[in-house]
Amino acid sequence: MITIKDVNEFSQSEFVALLGWIFEDTPWIADKVWELRPFPSIQFLHRSMVKLVEKSSKEEKFALILAHPDLGTKIKLSTSSKFEQQQAGLDQLSPNEYKRFLALNNKYIKKFGFPFVLAVRGHNKDSIYDTMKRRVKNKEEQEFETAMEEIYKISWFRLRDIVTNEGSYNHGKSNNVLR
């Protein structure tokens, strides 16, 4: 694990190399947030990244959603997405389950124009399918916002996996702060 103190001392290129993938290989976020150093905690770093995305254009947010792979897909997964989907059992779908996921995924993409995004940690293939089935009924704007919230969760989990608050101003406090 890397400490927040270490992260604060990284050059811009080191910072982007370490954190550019947190938001599904969208390095512009890490590149821009680097200027806000030092970060007193990983919570503050994450919140700074989220605020930057929230202030970005609708087109930039849409591109961020599009950077995420289809759940249950067997092609073009980043290493982190592949691991996360494996943890949820999406790499072990039966042929019938795969067809069901594919059909629902296609319905979702046809309706919204972007892939279904879900922070799959803590989910399994059944809960993911049920969530997708429920969310495909949402209105477009509601689903766009839900996808963004899920992206913020995914990025939090990824950041928390590689950076610790050791050496931070709030060392020992809860890491449950998302926003």
Side-chain angles (χ1 to χ4, degrees):
M1 294 273 291
I2 297 166
T3 69
I4 192 67
K5 184 177 184 247
D6 295 333
V7 170
N8 284 324
E9 294 172 2
F10 284 163
S11 68
Q12 189 168 9
S13 61
E14 291 169 326
F15 187 90
V16 172
L18 176 71
L19 302 177
W21 65 276
I22 296 290
F23 281 83
E24 200 63 41
D25 198 25
T26 308
W28 67 264
I29 298 165
D31 189 54
K32 287 184 178 182
V33 84
W34 177 84
E35 299 167 4
L36 303 176
R37 293 170 311 119
F39 302 102
S41 66
I42 61 171
Q43 292 87 352
F44 191 88
L45 168 56
H46 185 258
R47 183 63 191 134
S48 298
M49 294 174 107
V50 168
K51 280 184 177 180
L52 181 69
V53 173
E54 287 175 337
K55 291 178 182 178
S56 65
S57 70
K58 179 124 182 179
E59 292 77 22
E60 288 170 314
K61 290 176 187 173
F62 188 70
L64 181 56
I65 294 172
L66 290 177
H68 285 264
D70 295 341
L71 289 180
T73 190
K74 297 183 182 203
I75 55 172
K76 69 174 190 166
L77 291 177
S78 67
T79 303
S80 52
S81 288
K82 185 176 183 177
F83 176 74
E84 290 159 355
Q85 290 195 28
Q86 285 173 342
Q87 294 297 102
L90 293 178
D91 64 330
Q92 299 172 5
L93 296 175
S94 71
N96 189 40
E97 289 170 326
Y98 182 72
K99 284 180 192 174
R100 285 183 30 215
F101 260 92
L102 191 59
L104 188 55
N105 227 358
N106 288 339
K107 180 179 179 181
Y108 182 95
I109 291 169
K110 185 176 181 183
K111 179 174 181 179
F112 298 114
F114 53 83
F116 175 75
V117 179
L118 178 70
V120 297
R121 242 180 245 197
H123 282 277
N124 60 41
K125 60 186 178 182
D126 296 324
S127 66
I128 294 167
Y129 185 82
D130 290 344
T131 301
M132 188 186 305
K133 209 166 136 179
R134 180 179 39 79
R135 283 180 41 195
V136 77
K137 297 174 185 172
N138 286 345
K139 301 263 189 245
E140 186 174 341
E141 189 58 35
Q142 177 188 9
E143 192 53 27
F144 187 91
E145 291 305 316
T146 300
M148 292 306 301
E149 289 298 321
E150 291 298 318
I151 288 171
Y152 302 147
K153 289 178 194 175
I154 293 165
S155 64
W156 169 247
F157 292 143
R158 290 175 177 178
L159 181 63
R160 195 179 63 188
D161 284 347
I162 62 168
V163 180
T164 179
N165 267 330
E166 191 173 315
S168 71
Y169 302 123
N170 71 346
H171 181 64
K173 291 187 179 178
S174 169
N175 284 348
N176 293 332
V177 178
L178 261 181
R179 300 185 62 199

